[in-house]
């Protein structure tokens, strides 16, 4: 049996020294069952200790369109980056739908905003690539 390491897309460190990581290496079946774990909080052994006591798993959008519909972009949220605020709220950036999701330390989704568009708080398709916090402000880097 060979060991295949997990690919992480981005990483953030909270005030207690734990790593928050995001990954996109899972399939839709794992996402529906809760086995996907697109956002993880890792201890020093690399074990996921993220608490998910909310109504849904920490996956971004809890409903999404299948790829055979005329909805663009179709599919589940794809977290490309994560940041942690000083009050233990962590924030994931969904690159596919250009949305930002905030969760408390228990895994409850607190808010979601953004999207694809040309208004304030929106991004062009697949252009949001990184998120960082500075105090209580969120800074998003896009490719344009």
């Amino acid at each position: 049996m060979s060991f295949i390491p997990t690919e992480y897309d981005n990483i953030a460190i909270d005030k207690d020294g734990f790593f928050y990581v995001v990954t996109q290496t899972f399939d839709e079946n794992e996402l529906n069952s809760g086995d996907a774990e697109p956002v993880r909080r890792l201890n020093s052994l690399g074990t996921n200790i993220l608490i998910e006591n909310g109504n849904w798993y920490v996956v971004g959008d809890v409903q999404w369109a299948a790829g055979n519909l005329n909805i663009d972009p179709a599919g589940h949220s794809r977290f490309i980056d994560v940041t942690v605020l000083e009050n233990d709220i962590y924030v994931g950036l969904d690159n596919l739908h250009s949305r930002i999701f905030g969760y408390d330390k228990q895994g409850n989704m607190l808010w979601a905003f953004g999207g694809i568009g040309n208004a304030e708080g929106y991004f062009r398709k697949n252009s949001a690539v990184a998120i960082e916090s500075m105090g209580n402000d969120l800074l998003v880097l896009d490719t344009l």
Side-chain angles (χ1 to χ4, degrees):
M1 182 174 181
S2 62
F3 173 74
I4 301 173
T6 303
E7 295 178 25
Y8 296 118
D9 294 298
N10 242 312
I11 186 170
I13 301 174
D14 69 10
K15 66 182 182 200
D16 298 322
F18 291 99
F19 294 105
Y20 280 79
V21 297
V22 290
T23 183
Q24 297 179 24
T25 55
F26 54 83
D27 62 37
E28 198 168 303
N29 292 330
E30 291 174 310
L31 196 64
N32 290 328
S33 68
D35 293 335
E37 300 176 336
V39 178
R40 300 172 187 176
R41 184 180 190 218
L42 304 178
N43 63 14
S44 60
L45 297 175
T47 304
N48 182 16
I49 59 169
L50 185 72
I51 299 170
E52 294 188 82
N53 289 333
N55 293 328
W56 300 282
Y57 300 114
V58 178
V59 296
D61 286 316
V62 294
Q63 294 182 344
W64 57 87
N68 60 352
L69 300 177
N70 292 326
I71 297 174
D72 185 35
H76 57 82
S77 296
R78 300 186 190 280
F79 287 122
I80 191 73
D81 200 2
V82 63
T83 189
V84 185
L85 304 177
E86 295 170 0
N87 57 0
D88 293 328
I89 292 175
Y90 56 98
V91 182
L93 176 64
D94 173 8
N95 177 257
L96 182 64
H97 302 110
S98 300
R99 292 171 45 89
I100 298 170
F101 296 87
Y103 295 90
D104 68 11
K105 63 183 176 181
Q106 291 295 313
N108 295 299
M109 184 190 299
L110 301 175
W111 36 259
F113 64 89
I116 298 172
N118 290 323
E120 184 176 338
Y122 288 76
F123 306 93
R124 292 193 182 165
K125 184 177 178 181
N126 294 20
S127 70
V129 294
I131 190 166
E132 188 58 61
S133 60
M134 186 167 50
N136 288 325
D137 293 328
L138 294 175
L139 308 170
V140 179
L141 177 68
D142 64 9
T143 58
L144 303 174

